[in-house]
Amino acid sequence: MKKADVKIGGEYYAKVTNKKVVVRIDAENSSGGWDATNLSTNKKVRIKTAGRLQGLARATATEPTGPDKKRVAKKPSDSPATEKKLSCVKAAIKVLEESSEPLNTQEMISAMTDAGYWTSPGGKTPHATLYSAILRDLAKGEESRFVKTERGRFTVRS
């Protein structure tokens, strides 16, 4: 973050003693930086540089924060339950079940993305992560959900 982006009274994610916590900026410190309150412990902390701040906290104005907040039971929503997102491995199984031939992990990743089953949360090599997960599953032997048909190609156990 930049120093100009920091507002007094704002709530930000900050790195304090190697943990990411939510802090409220209380005042500017005369020695530089800001005086703040760690909202999880309610202790005063000093933020020396804007580099310690990692962005605005996503707390809404209607949702109280800090140790004095009261828990309110949420009402059940009338909308139908949204479908839970699939994990990478479960999405791969679904893609392989729909496929008529064995696939490699790069083909599985692109098929999962195209079908909307799963998208990478920003990793550079999701195919390598999937490959590793499949190999761990194959180590289970007969209980494995995958079958290796040839080098780098997999299908589901029927």
Side-chain angles (χ1 to χ4, degrees):
M1 279 193 86
K2 295 181 181 174
K3 186 176 180 179
D5 297 336
V6 180
K7 306 287 183 225
I8 305 297
E11 293 181 3
Y12 300 89
Y13 289 112
K15 202 162 194 178
V16 176
T17 62
N18 246 0
K19 294 180 184 173
K20 188 175 181 181
V21 297
V22 178
V23 297
R24 182 183 58 241
I25 303 296
D26 298 325
E28 202 162 324
N29 190 298
S30 59
S31 302
W34 300 271
D35 294 323
T37 303
N38 180 340
L39 295 180
S40 60
T41 62
N42 214 23
K43 289 187 178 182
K44 299 291 182 188
V45 294
R46 179 168 170 228
I47 307 296
K48 292 182 181 179
T49 65
R52 290 258 187 221
L53 299 174
Q54 299 177 348
L56 282 172
R58 300 283 182 226
T60 60
T62 59
E63 191 176 293
T65 58
D68 57 338
K69 71 179 179 181
K70 295 179 182 173
R71 296 194 180 261
V72 178
K74 293 185 178 181
K75 296 177 185 175
S77 62
D78 295 330
S79 63
T82 57
E83 190 174 320
K84 189 176 178 183
K85 286 186 117 180
L86 294 175
S87 71
C88 182
V89 173
K90 288 182 180 176
I93 290 171
K94 193 168 184 178
V95 163
L96 287 172
E97 287 172 345
E98 295 170 356
S99 174
S100 60
E101 59 187 41
L103 301 173
N104 67 30
T105 54
Q106 287 184 336
E107 294 167 340
M108 285 184 236
I109 293 290
S110 55
M112 293 181 321
T113 303
D114 294 344
Y117 297 145
W118 181 84
T119 55
S120 174
K124 293 182 181 177
T125 56
H127 61 278
T129 304
L130 176 59
Y131 186 82
S132 175
I134 290 173
L135 290 183
R136 282 192 307 272
D137 195 78
L138 284 171
K140 296 177 183 176
E142 291 298 316
E143 295 178 12
S144 173
R145 298 172 285 182
F146 296 93
V147 176
K148 189 171 187 176
T149 58
E150 59 185 276
R151 183 175 181 221
R153 295 200 167 269
F154 305 94
T155 189
V156 288
R157 188 174 299 277
S158 29

